[in-house]
Amino acid sequence: MAFCLLLFFGGHAQYKVRFVLKEKTAIHHDSIYVTGTFNNWDSMANKNYLLQPYGKDEKSIVLNLPGGTIRYKFHRGSWLTVEKEYNGNEVHDRVVIINKDITLIDSVVSWRDQLINDKKYALSHQSSDTARVGILAAIAVNYAFWAEYSNVDSALYYANEALQLQQKIIKSGEY
């Protein structure tokens, strides 16, 4: 009987899981949520999964989760505002096995709905020509290869701006 109780309760152990998120975007946000297999991929602005300020450009939440494998992502209130890679590719599910209290540290570099606006904001606040070339090229790629942002004229414009700035850097000897 004791063995059965141990199996039943031991298999349902709860662990404190701290999610820490560093937002590495140019535009920072107040409302960021975590979602995953532990909450049925709830993509709504559910206050139970809202991260709170934790440190400089960081947010955090502690959840009590059962042991086992979980998958998770971050969003800002819906799947339309889910995290993305810098170039716009999908962020694969983060996967972790929970078997003790743990802190998970992650970062977000882009959001689906602000893929281009965030880069334009970064461009307007960047003084390094080398960094500007990279941002201009990234904007051009986003306009060229993502259907929801598709704009050939804008893609060519930003690619040309990146090329001209790169040529200026080469001629100046800074390259």
Side-chain angles (χ1 to χ4, degrees), residues 28-58:
H28 291 219
H29 302 86
D30 292 333
S31 300
I32 299 175
Y33 303 84
V34 65
T35 188
T37 53
F38 52 84
N39 67 355
N40 236 4
W41 291 102
D42 181 359
S43 65
M44 303 302 288
N46 185 334
K47 66 179 182 175
N48 294 323
Y49 301 100
L50 175 64
L51 282 73
Q52 301 297 320
Y54 184 66
K56 181 167 174 47
D57 300 329
E58 291 181 338

Side-chain angles (χ1 to χ4, degrees), residues 114-147:
Q114 293 185 330
L115 196 60
I116 292 176
N117 289 342
D118 190 70
K119 289 174 184 66
K120 286 182 178 179
Y121 182 84
L123 186 63
S124 71
H125 290 81
Q126 183 55 253
S127 59
S128 161
D129 282 346
T130 304
R132 291 176 61 80
V133 168
I135 296 169
L136 287 164
I139 294 171
V141 166
N142 291 157
Y143 277 128
F145 297 110
W146 292 106

Side-chain angles (χ1 to χ4, degrees), residues 154-169:
S154 293
L156 289 172
Y157 170 80
Y158 284 98
N160 186 51
E161 290 291 309
L163 179 61
Q164 287 182 15
L165 189 53
Q166 181 67 29
Q167 288 172 343
K168 176 187 158 198
I169 292 169

Side-chain angles (χ1 to χ4, degrees), residues 82-95:
V82 71
E83 62 179 311
K84 290 282 194 168
E85 291 181 1
Y86 187 75
N87 64 4
N89 287 337
E90 291 296 328
V91 171
H92 296 288
D93 296 350
R94 293 178 168 90
V95 181

Side-chain angles (χ1 to χ4, degrees), residues 75-115:
H75 65 85
R76 295 186 354 266
S78 79
W79 288 121
L80 297 175
T81 60
V82 71
E83 62 179 311
K84 290 282 194 168
E85 291 181 1
Y86 187 75
N87 64 4
N89 287 337
E90 291 296 328
V91 171
H92 296 288
D93 296 350
R94 293 178 168 90
V95 181
V96 65
I97 298 172
I98 307 297
N99 57 15
K100 62 180 180 178
D101 292 349
I102 189 170
T103 297
L104 305 171
I105 301 172
D106 297 294
S107 62
V108 168
V109 295
S110 194
W111 300 103
R112 178 180 177 187
D113 64 320
Q114 293 185 330
L115 196 60

